[in-house]
Amino acid sequence: MTSVTIVTGGGRGIGAATARRLAADGHDLVIGYRTDHAAAESVAADVRAAGRRAVTVAADTCDPEQVRRIFDAADRLGPLTGLVNNAGVTSPIGPFTDLRAEDLREVVDVNLVGYVLCAQQAARRMTAGGAIVNVSSAAATLGSPGEYIHYAAAKAATDTLTVGLAKELAPRGIRVNAVAPGIIRTDIHARSGVPDRPDTAAGRIPLGRAGEPDEVAGAIAHLLGPDASYTTGAVLRVAGGL
Ligand code: NAP
């Protein structure tokens, strides 16, 4: 049977690596993104070069109508079998007392509301079973003091969403798991105001270096795939020991 998988935030970073990896594993893909059309098209071209089908959809995952467009695109490829809830944002690193309300709202909207909206659409469509992987963060258990506690709290909500959904959807053959990356080399750190964070943080990571997007993509591919057929409700830490 064809695997049809949606990767939100599939144009860059962890999502892009995941889309490429899943194409190699035989998935047809819907690649969601918000603004960077060229990046998403470049990933889609790589998926097609690997012999799989790919469509890109510009859609803000915080908006239910736009989310529906991503899933409508998947319907045109075939029955949906997988969702990687990955589109996420941080906000400028700094003390809790400096947090701006608009940054708080965006972080909660994208990292939590967006994940819920996408998981809901997936659960409605996966009538023959399927798998969802939520991209959480090691921040969920570390708390990120002095950096972005609100982001850590939103990611902790992702973990709870994973546990609850796994139980609710198990009778329908839908597995729900999460990965919790540590510090991974992507553009997300520039948005936090510390583009060199993967290098400056290396000394406090037990494995002595930041992770690469491909190393997270491998964990996501495992949780989506048949080797994880008895795994649901798990949060797999991919954080170099953090
Ligand atoms: P990234 O390189 O900044 O890429 C983020 C992707 O998400 C982009 O494709 C972006 O689209 C998309 N996106 C952002 N907001 C969106 C929205 N509202 N609607 C739709 N798409 C949206 O980020 P990343 O580092 O790969 O992070 C991916 C996930 O891993 C996030 O959930 C993040 O919280 C989590 N994570 C990352 C790290 C890390 O160190 N990198 C660690 C732990 C967890 P555009 O390209 O169009 O902007």
Side-chain angles (χ1 to χ4, degrees):
M1 192 181 83
T2 311
S3 298
V4 175
T5 300
I6 293 169
V7 181
T8 66
R12 296 190 288 115
I14 292 169
T18 300
R20 292 185 174 106
R21 167 63 193 260
L22 292 177
D25 288 354
H27 296 239
D28 291 333
L29 289 157
V30 177
I31 297 160
Y33 67 100
R34 180 159 57 175
T35 53
D36 195 338
H37 177 73
E41 283 302 327
S42 157
V43 176
D46 289 345
V47 170
R48 291 181 198 118
R52 306 310 313 182
R53 295 179 295 166
V55 292
T56 61
V57 181
D60 187 333
T61 51
C62 306
D63 179 328
E65 288 308 315
Q66 295 187 42
V67 165
R68 192 164 294 127
R69 287 215 313 268
I70 304 175
F71 286 79
D72 287 348
D75 289 345
R76 290 191 282 277
L77 291 181
L80 183 70
T81 53
L83 166 67
V84 182
N85 245 336
N86 166 77
V89 293
T90 53
S91 60
I93 276 187
F96 180 66
T97 45
D98 289 354
L99 172 62
R100 299 182 310 176
E102 59 263 39
D103 287 332
L104 167 63
R105 286 191 201 288
E106 194 194 12
V107 162
V108 173
D109 256 10
V110 182
N111 295 293
L112 178 56
V113 177
Y115 277 33
V116 172
L117 292 173
C118 290
Q120 189 180 40
Q121 289 290 334
R124 286 176 181 156
R125 281 170 168 78
M126 289 175 171
T127 50
I132 297 173
V133 176
N134 296 319
V135 180
S136 175
S137 172
T141 53
L142 298 171
S144 302
E147 296 186 331
Y148 28 55
I149 291 172
H150 59 300
Y151 169 80
K155 290 302 193 183
T158 299
D159 293 355
T160 306
L161 177 71
T162 301
V163 170
L165 270 182
K167 290 175 178 168
E168 182 162 332
L169 299 180
R172 294 178 41 203
I174 303 172
R175 296 182 301 100
V176 186
N177 294 289
V179 294
I183 297 171
I184 309 299
R185 197 177 297 281
T186 72
D187 296 340
I188 204 169
H189 307 289
R191 189 185 167 101
S192 308
V194 281
D196 57 350
R197 190 165 189 245
D199 295 316
T200 56
R204 62 184 168 89
I205 299 169
L207 280 182
R209 63 172 177 86
E212 299 298 329
D214 284 347
E215 295 178 290
V216 183
I220 293 171
H222 166 73
L223 289 171
L224 274 184
D227 284 350
S229 55
Y230 199 59
T231 305
T232 197
V235 179
L236 176 55
R237 206 171 186 84
V238 187
L242 268 182

